[in-house]
mmCIF file of all heavy atoms in Angstrom:
data_model
loop_
_atom_site.group_PDB
_atom_site.id
_atom_site.type_symbol
_atom_site.label_atom_id
_atom_site.label_comp_id
_atom_site.label_asym_id
_atom_site.label_seq_id
_atom_site.Cartn_x
_atom_site.Cartn_y
_atom_site.Cartn_z
ATOM 1 N N ALA A 108 26.424 119.835 73.400
ATOM 2 C CA ALA A 108 27.744 120.484 73.505
ATOM 3 C C ALA A 108 28.863 119.441 73.434
ATOM 4 O O ALA A 108 29.893 119.658 72.779
ATOM 5 C CB ALA A 108 27.837 121.275 74.812
ATOM 6 N N ALA A 109 28.652 118.279 74.082
ATOM 7 C CA ALA A 109 29.684 117.217 74.053
ATOM 8 C C ALA A 109 29.848 116.680 72.631
ATOM 9 O O ALA A 109 30.970 116.436 72.169
ATOM 10 C CB ALA A 109 29.298 116.092 75.017
ATOM 11 N N VAL A 110 28.707 116.495 71.932
ATOM 12 C CA VAL A 110 28.767 115.982 70.553
ATOM 13 C C VAL A 110 29.533 116.960 69.662
ATOM 14 O O VAL A 110 30.437 116.572 68.910
ATOM 15 C CB VAL A 110 27.332 115.742 70.010
ATOM 16 C CG1 VAL A 110 27.344 115.519 68.503
ATOM 17 C CG2 VAL A 110 26.701 114.539 70.714
ATOM 18 N N VAL A 111 29.201 118.250 69.757
ATOM 19 C CA VAL A 111 29.876 119.266 68.931
ATOM 20 C C VAL A 111 31.366 119.318 69.276
ATOM 21 O O VAL A 111 32.224 119.373 68.395
ATOM 22 C CB VAL A 111 29.220 120.654 69.136
ATOM 23 C CG1 VAL A 111 30.034 121.749 68.466
ATOM 24 C CG2 VAL A 111 27.789 120.641 68.605
ATOM 25 N N HIS A 112 31.650 119.286 70.550
ATOM 26 C CA HIS A 112 33.053 119.318 70.998
ATOM 27 C C HIS A 112 33.845 118.149 70.404
ATOM 28 O O HIS A 112 34.909 118.319 69.814
ATOM 29 C CB HIS A 112 33.086 119.262 72.533
ATOM 30 C CG HIS A 112 34.441 119.006 73.096
ATOM 31 N ND1 HIS A 112 34.923 117.728 73.317
ATOM 32 C CD2 HIS A 112 35.439 119.841 73.449
ATOM 33 C CE1 HIS A 112 36.155 117.797 73.793
ATOM 34 N NE2 HIS A 112 36.484 119.069 73.891
ATOM 35 N N ASP A 113 33.294 116.928 70.525
ATOM 36 C CA ASP A 113 34.021 115.725 70.072
ATOM 37 C C ASP A 113 34.179 115.707 68.557
ATOM 38 O O ASP A 113 35.207 115.250 68.040
ATOM 39 C CB ASP A 113 33.269 114.449 70.509
ATOM 40 C CG ASP A 113 33.398 114.195 72.001
ATOM 41 O OD1 ASP A 113 33.962 115.054 72.707
ATOM 42 O OD2 ASP A 113 32.914 113.138 72.449
ATOM 43 N N ILE A 114 33.162 116.193 67.845
ATOM 44 C CA ILE A 114 33.214 116.168 66.384
ATOM 45 C C ILE A 114 34.369 117.029 65.864
ATOM 46 O O ILE A 114 34.888 116.796 64.770
ATOM 47 C CB ILE A 114 31.830 116.568 65.803
ATOM 48 C CG1 ILE A 114 30.921 115.335 65.838
ATOM 49 C CG2 ILE A 114 31.937 117.121 64.398
ATOM 50 C CD1 ILE A 114 29.521 115.564 65.345
ATOM 51 N N GLY A 115 34.814 117.978 66.688
ATOM 52 C CA GLY A 115 35.955 118.817 66.286
ATOM 53 C C GLY A 115 37.305 118.227 66.665
ATOM 54 O O GLY A 115 38.318 118.928 66.622
ATOM 55 N N PHE A 116 37.356 116.929 67.019
ATOM 56 C CA PHE A 116 38.614 116.359 67.546
ATOM 57 C C PHE A 116 39.773 116.517 66.573
ATOM 58 O O PHE A 116 40.918 116.691 66.974
ATOM 59 C CB PHE A 116 38.417 114.880 67.934
ATOM 60 C CG PHE A 116 38.495 113.906 66.778
ATOM 61 C CD1 PHE A 116 39.712 113.384 66.377
ATOM 62 C CD2 PHE A 116 37.344 113.507 66.107
ATOM 63 C CE1 PHE A 116 39.787 112.494 65.314
ATOM 64 C CE2 PHE A 116 37.406 112.626 65.043
ATOM 65 C CZ PHE A 116 38.632 112.116 64.648
ATOM 66 N N HIS A 117 39.470 116.474 65.279
ATOM 67 C CA HIS A 117 40.562 116.532 64.287
ATOM 68 C C HIS A 117 41.271 117.887 64.294
ATOM 69 O O HIS A 117 42.403 117.985 63.825
ATOM 70 C CB HIS A 117 40.012 116.234 62.885
ATOM 71 C CG HIS A 117 38.893 117.139 62.470
ATOM 72 N ND1 HIS A 117 37.663 117.112 63.074
ATOM 73 C CD2 HIS A 117 38.837 118.099 61.528
ATOM 74 C CE1 HIS A 117 36.884 118.017 62.503
ATOM 75 N NE2 HIS A 117 37.573 118.631 61.571
ATOM 76 N N ARG A 118 40.610 118.898 64.814
ATOM 77 C CA ARG A 118 41.269 120.216 64.860
ATOM 78 C C ARG A 118 42.160 120.351 66.092
ATOM 79 O O ARG A 118 42.899 121.317 66.213
ATOM 80 C CB ARG A 118 40.207 121.332 64.868
ATOM 81 C CG ARG A 118 39.511 121.483 63.522
ATOM 82 C CD ARG A 118 38.732 122.785 63.481
ATOM 83 N NE ARG A 118 37.559 122.741 64.358
ATOM 84 C CZ ARG A 118 36.368 122.293 63.965
ATOM 85 N NH1 ARG A 118 36.196 121.870 62.724
ATOM 86 N NH2 ARG A 118 35.351 122.268 64.795
ATOM 87 N N HIS A 119 42.059 119.400 67.009
ATOM 88 C CA HIS A 119 42.778 119.540 68.287
ATOM 89 C C HIS A 119 43.780 118.431 68.552
ATOM 90 O O HIS A 119 44.319 118.342 69.643
ATOM 91 C CB HIS A 119 41.762 119.594 69.434
ATOM 92 C CG HIS A 119 40.790 120.719 69.299
ATOM 93 N ND1 HIS A 119 41.127 122.022 69.565
ATOM 94 C CD2 HIS A 119 39.502 120.743 68.861
ATOM 95 C CE1 HIS A 119 40.082 122.802 69.324
ATOM 96 N NE2 HIS A 119 39.091 122.052 68.896
ATOM 97 N N TRP A 120 43.968 117.540 67.564
ATOM 98 C CA TRP A 120 44.897 116.432 67.790
ATOM 99 C C TRP A 120 46.293 117.001 68.037
ATOM 100 O O TRP A 120 46.766 117.853 67.289
ATOM 101 C CB TRP A 120 44.925 115.480 66.597
ATOM 102 C CG TRP A 120 45.376 114.137 67.047
ATOM 103 C CD1 TRP A 120 46.662 113.698 67.100
ATOM 104 C CD2 TRP A 120 44.558 113.092 67.555
ATOM 105 N NE1 TRP A 120 46.701 112.429 67.613
ATOM 106 C CE2 TRP A 120 45.420 112.033 67.899
ATOM 107 C CE3 TRP A 120 43.183 112.942 67.762
ATOM 108 C CZ2 TRP A 120 44.962 110.835 68.424
ATOM 109 C CZ3 TRP A 120 42.724 111.755 68.283
ATOM 110 C CH2 TRP A 120 43.601 110.712 68.613
ATOM 111 N N GLY A 121 46.953 116.577 69.069
ATOM 112 C CA GLY A 121 48.280 117.118 69.389
ATOM 113 C C GLY A 121 48.210 118.180 70.476
ATOM 114 O O GLY A 121 49.223 118.539 71.061
ATOM 115 N N ASN A 122 47.001 118.680 70.751
ATOM 116 C CA ASN A 122 46.839 119.617 71.868
ATOM 117 C C ASN A 122 46.807 118.787 73.157
ATOM 118 O O ASN A 122 45.888 117.998 73.370
ATOM 119 C CB ASN A 122 45.530 120.395 71.659
ATOM 120 C CG ASN A 122 45.150 121.226 72.864
ATOM 121 O OD1 ASN A 122 45.773 121.125 73.913
ATOM 122 N ND2 ASN A 122 44.120 122.031 72.712
ATOM 123 N N PRO A 123 47.809 118.944 74.026
ATOM 124 C CA PRO A 123 47.935 118.015 75.160
ATOM 125 C C PRO A 123 46.740 118.029 76.115
ATOM 126 O O PRO A 123 46.514 117.061 76.830
ATOM 127 C CB PRO A 123 49.207 118.486 75.877
ATOM 128 C CG PRO A 123 49.628 119.764 75.246
ATOM 129 C CD PRO A 123 48.876 119.954 73.972
ATOM 130 N N GLY A 124 45.943 119.103 76.119
ATOM 131 C CA GLY A 124 44.823 119.139 77.060
ATOM 132 C C GLY A 124 43.520 118.623 76.476
ATOM 133 O O GLY A 124 42.493 118.605 77.163
ATOM 134 N N PHE A 125 43.548 118.173 75.212
ATOM 135 C CA PHE A 125 42.276 117.819 74.568
ATOM 136 C C PHE A 125 41.851 116.385 74.859
ATOM 137 O O PHE A 125 42.582 115.432 74.587
ATOM 138 C CB PHE A 125 42.364 118.018 73.051
ATOM 139 C CG PHE A 125 41.071 117.726 72.358
ATOM 140 C CD1 PHE A 125 40.070 118.696 72.300
ATOM 141 C CD2 PHE A 125 40.817 116.479 71.809
ATOM 142 C CE1 PHE A 125 38.856 118.418 71.691
ATOM 143 C CE2 PHE A 125 39.597 116.195 71.204
ATOM 144 C CZ PHE A 125 38.618 117.174 71.138
ATOM 145 N N GLY A 126 40.638 116.241 75.416
ATOM 146 C CA GLY A 126 40.062 114.920 75.631
ATOM 147 C C GLY A 126 38.622 114.916 75.138
ATOM 148 O O GLY A 126 38.008 115.971 74.982
ATOM 149 N N MET A 127 38.083 113.721 74.882
ATOM 150 C CA MET A 127 36.695 113.621 74.417
ATOM 151 C C MET A 127 35.748 113.764 75.615
ATOM 152 O O MET A 127 36.128 113.510 76.763
ATOM 153 C CB MET A 127 36.469 112.272 73.728
ATOM 154 C CG MET A 127 37.437 111.997 72.592
ATOM 155 S SD MET A 127 37.282 113.161 71.227
ATOM 156 C CE MET A 127 36.234 112.226 70.124
ATOM 157 N N ARG A 128 34.500 114.161 75.314
ATOM 158 C CA ARG A 128 33.557 114.383 76.418
ATOM 159 C C ARG A 128 32.383 113.398 76.444
ATOM 160 O O ARG A 128 31.732 113.242 77.461
ATOM 161 C CB ARG A 128 32.967 115.807 76.295
ATOM 162 C CG ARG A 128 33.975 116.882 76.646
ATOM 163 C CD ARG A 128 33.265 118.231 76.728
ATOM 164 N NE ARG A 128 34.218 119.309 76.852
ATOM 165 C CZ ARG A 128 33.953 120.570 76.552
ATOM 166 N NH1 ARG A 128 32.744 120.912 76.109
ATOM 167 N NH2 ARG A 128 34.867 121.508 76.690
ATOM 168 N N PHE A 129 32.096 112.795 75.293
ATOM 169 C CA PHE A 129 30.880 111.982 75.193
ATOM 170 C C PHE A 129 30.824 110.890 76.264
ATOM 171 O O PHE A 129 29.777 110.621 76.857
ATOM 172 C CB PHE A 129 30.794 111.356 73.796
ATOM 173 C CG PHE A 129 29.520 110.641 73.515
ATOM 174 C CD1 PHE A 129 28.358 111.342 73.245
ATOM 175 C CD2 PHE A 129 29.458 109.252 73.524
ATOM 176 C CE1 PHE A 129 27.161 110.686 72.986
ATOM 177 C CE2 PHE A 129 28.262 108.590 73.263
ATOM 178 C CZ PHE A 129 27.115 109.312 72.990
ATOM 179 N N GLN A 130 32.002 110.275 76.513
ATOM 180 C CA GLN A 130 32.037 109.147 77.461
ATOM 181 C C GLN A 130 31.740 109.586 78.892
ATOM 182 O O GLN A 130 31.474 108.751 79.752
ATOM 183 C CB GLN A 130 33.386 108.414 77.386
ATOM 184 C CG GLN A 130 34.582 109.172 77.939
ATOM 185 C CD GLN A 130 35.136 110.238 76.991
ATOM 186 O OE1 GLN A 130 34.632 110.425 75.889
ATOM 187 N NE2 GLN A 130 36.161 110.955 77.422
ATOM 188 N N ASN A 131 31.769 110.924 79.141
ATOM 189 C CA ASN A 131 31.476 111.412 80.504
ATOM 190 C C ASN A 131 29.996 111.733 80.707
ATOM 191 O O ASN A 131 29.586 112.071 81.812
ATOM 192 C CB ASN A 131 32.298 112.679 80.796
ATOM 193 C CG ASN A 131 33.798 112.403 80.688
ATOM 194 O OD1 ASN A 131 34.231 111.293 80.980
ATOM 195 N ND2 ASN A 131 34.563 113.377 80.251
ATOM 196 N N PHE A 209 37.943 105.681 66.506
ATOM 197 C CA PHE A 209 37.143 105.722 67.737
ATOM 198 C C PHE A 209 35.977 104.757 67.499
ATOM 199 O O PHE A 209 35.110 105.036 66.667
ATOM 200 C CB PHE A 209 36.553 107.119 67.989
ATOM 201 C CG PHE A 209 37.541 108.137 68.484
ATOM 202 C CD1 PHE A 209 38.148 109.012 67.595
ATOM 203 C CD2 PHE A 209 37.848 108.245 69.831
ATOM 204 C CE1 PHE A 209 39.056 109.960 68.040
ATOM 205 C CE2 PHE A 209 38.761 109.196 70.291
ATOM 206 C CZ PHE A 209 39.363 110.061 69.385
ATOM 207 N N TRP A 214 31.682 105.792 70.674
ATOM 208 C CA TRP A 214 31.556 107.180 70.201
ATOM 209 C C TRP A 214 30.684 107.181 68.941
ATOM 210 O O TRP A 214 31.166 107.449 67.828
ATOM 211 C CB TRP A 214 32.946 107.779 69.924
ATOM 212 C CG TRP A 214 33.714 108.096 71.174
ATOM 213 C CD1 TRP A 214 33.592 109.213 71.950
ATOM 214 C CD2 TRP A 214 34.727 107.300 71.812
ATOM 215 N NE1 TRP A 214 34.450 109.156 73.031
ATOM 216 C CE2 TRP A 214 35.162 108.000 72.972
ATOM 217 C CE3 TRP A 214 35.307 106.075 71.513
ATOM 218 C CZ2 TRP A 214 36.146 107.496 73.818
ATOM 219 C CZ3 TRP A 214 36.290 105.583 72.358
ATOM 220 C CH2 TRP A 214 36.688 106.284 73.499
ATOM 221 N N HIS A 216 28.573 109.122 67.724
ATOM 222 C CA HIS A 216 28.447 110.379 66.975
ATOM 223 C C HIS A 216 29.610 110.566 65.995
ATOM 224 O O HIS A 216 29.602 111.493 65.199
ATOM 225 C CB HIS A 216 28.359 111.568 67.950
ATOM 226 C CG HIS A 216 29.431 111.591 68.998
ATOM 227 N ND1 HIS A 216 29.762 110.485 69.739
ATOM 228 C CD2 HIS A 216 30.270 112.574 69.410
ATOM 229 C CE1 HIS A 216 30.753 110.786 70.565
ATOM 230 N NE2 HIS A 216 31.079 112.032 70.386
ATOM 231 N N LEU A 217 30.637 109.661 66.067
ATOM 232 C CA LEU A 217 31.753 109.727 65.119
ATOM 233 C C LEU A 217 31.666 108.605 64.074
ATOM 234 O O LEU A 217 32.629 108.347 63.354
ATOM 235 C CB LEU A 217 33.095 109.623 65.862
ATOM 236 C CG LEU A 217 33.325 110.626 67.000
ATOM 237 C CD1 LEU A 217 34.706 110.423 67.621
ATOM 238 C CD2 LEU A 217 33.191 112.061 66.506
ATOM 239 N N HIS A 220 32.329 110.053 60.717
ATOM 240 C CA HIS A 220 33.243 111.209 60.738
ATOM 241 C C HIS A 220 34.385 110.980 59.728
ATOM 242 O O HIS A 220 34.997 109.911 59.728
ATOM 243 C CB HIS A 220 33.810 111.355 62.152
ATOM 244 C CG HIS A 220 34.457 112.667 62.412
ATOM 245 N ND1 HIS A 220 35.617 113.043 61.792
ATOM 246 C CD2 HIS A 220 34.108 113.706 63.211
ATOM 247 C CE1 HIS A 220 35.960 114.259 62.208
ATOM 248 N NE2 HIS A 220 35.055 114.680 63.066
ATOM 249 N N MET A 242 42.912 104.692 72.272
ATOM 250 C CA MET A 242 42.861 105.974 73.010
ATOM 251 C C MET A 242 42.272 105.800 74.406
ATOM 252 O O MET A 242 41.938 106.789 75.080
ATOM 253 C CB MET A 242 42.076 107.026 72.218
ATOM 254 C CG MET A 242 40.577 106.830 72.125
ATOM 255 S SD MET A 242 40.054 105.302 71.281
ATOM 256 C CE MET A 242 40.601 105.608 69.610
ATOM 257 N N ASP A 244 40.078 105.630 77.478
ATOM 258 C CA ASP A 244 38.755 106.173 77.782
ATOM 259 C C ASP A 244 38.491 107.492 77.042
ATOM 260 O O ASP A 244 37.484 108.149 77.294
ATOM 261 C CB ASP A 244 38.600 106.377 79.299
ATOM 262 C CG ASP A 244 39.650 107.341 79.862
ATOM 263 O OD1 ASP A 244 40.486 107.851 79.072
ATOM 264 O OD2 ASP A 244 39.638 107.593 81.082
ATOM 265 N N GLY A 245 39.394 107.895 76.158
ATOM 266 C CA GLY A 245 39.178 109.130 75.393
ATOM 267 C C GLY A 245 39.564 110.386 76.149
ATOM 268 O O GLY A 245 39.354 111.498 75.662
ATOM 269 N N SER A 246 40.138 110.211 77.341
ATOM 270 C CA SER A 246 40.597 111.378 78.106
ATOM 271 C C SER A 246 41.829 111.971 77.416
ATOM 272 O O SER A 246 42.402 111.371 76.503
ATOM 273 C CB SER A 246 40.979 110.939 79.527
ATOM 274 O OG SER A 246 42.079 110.048 79.450
ATOM 275 N N ALA A 247 42.254 113.167 77.895
ATOM 276 C CA ALA A 247 43.427 113.817 77.297
ATOM 277 C C ALA A 247 44.651 112.891 77.388
ATOM 278 O O ALA A 247 45.435 112.800 76.451
ATOM 279 C CB ALA A 247 43.701 115.136 78.012
ATOM 280 N N GLN A 248 44.773 112.191 78.496
ATOM 281 C CA GLN A 248 45.916 111.292 78.656
ATOM 282 C C GLN A 248 45.856 110.131 77.651
ATOM 283 O O GLN A 248 46.857 109.764 77.043
ATOM 284 C CB GLN A 248 45.935 110.747 80.086
ATOM 285 C CG GLN A 248 47.237 110.072 80.413
ATOM 286 C CD GLN A 248 47.151 109.255 81.697
ATOM 287 O OE1 GLN A 248 46.061 108.953 82.202
ATOM 288 N NE2 GLN A 248 48.287 108.889 82.217
ATOM 289 N N GLY A 249 44.643 109.601 77.472
ATOM 290 C CA GLY A 249 44.465 108.490 76.519
ATOM 291 C C GLY A 249 44.763 108.931 75.096
ATOM 292 O O GLY A 249 45.456 108.236 74.346
ATOM 293 N N ILE A 250 44.250 110.078 74.705
ATOM 294 C CA ILE A 250 44.458 110.568 73.337
ATOM 295 C C ILE A 250 45.924 110.940 73.122
ATOM 296 O O ILE A 250 46.497 110.669 72.062
ATOM 297 C CB ILE A 250 43.500 111.745 73.053
ATOM 298 C CG1 ILE A 250 42.095 111.169 72.898
ATOM 299 C CG2 ILE A 250 43.925 112.521 71.815
ATOM 300 C CD1 ILE A 250 41.033 112.152 72.561
ATOM 301 N N GLY A 251 46.552 111.514 74.159
ATOM 302 C CA GLY A 251 47.972 111.863 74.043
ATOM 303 C C GLY A 251 48.865 110.632 73.964
ATOM 304 O O GLY A 251 50.028 110.732 73.575
ATOM 305 N N GLY A 252 48.332 109.478 74.314
ATOM 306 C CA GLY A 252 49.131 108.248 74.318
ATOM 307 C C GLY A 252 48.797 107.338 73.160
ATOM 308 O O GLY A 252 48.943 106.118 73.277
ATOM 309 N N THR A 253 48.313 107.896 72.042
ATOM 310 C CA THR A 253 48.014 107.027 70.896
ATOM 311 C C THR A 253 48.399 107.714 69.589
ATOM 312 O O THR A 253 48.405 108.933 69.495
ATOM 313 C CB THR A 253 46.523 106.616 70.869
ATOM 314 O OG1 THR A 253 46.307 105.746 69.777
ATOM 315 C CG2 THR A 253 45.597 107.797 70.715
ATOM 316 N N PHE A 258 46.813 112.011 61.739
ATOM 317 C CA PHE A 258 47.487 113.151 62.378
ATOM 318 C C PHE A 258 48.793 112.783 63.076
ATOM 319 O O PHE A 258 49.630 113.650 63.301
ATOM 320 C CB PHE A 258 46.540 113.820 63.385
ATOM 321 C CG PHE A 258 45.209 114.143 62.784
ATOM 322 C CD1 PHE A 258 44.039 113.605 63.290
ATOM 323 C CD2 PHE A 258 45.129 114.969 61.663
ATOM 324 C CE1 PHE A 258 42.814 113.881 62.705
ATOM 325 C CE2 PHE A 258 43.906 115.257 61.073
ATOM 326 C CZ PHE A 258 42.738 114.704 61.601
#
Side-chain angles (χ1 to χ4, degrees):
V110 167
V111 171
H112 168 271
D113 287 6
I114 279 178
F116 81 87
H117 56 292
R118 288 194 290 272
H119 301 285
W120 204 271
N122 171 352
F125 182 83
M127 305 296 263
R128 288 189 189 159
F129 187 75
Q130 70 281 0
N131 300 328
F209 285 97
W214 287 278
H216 50 312
L217 306 181
H220 195 292
M242 71 298 293
D244 60 0
S246 64
Q248 193 193 16
I250 287 182
T253 182
F258 309 120

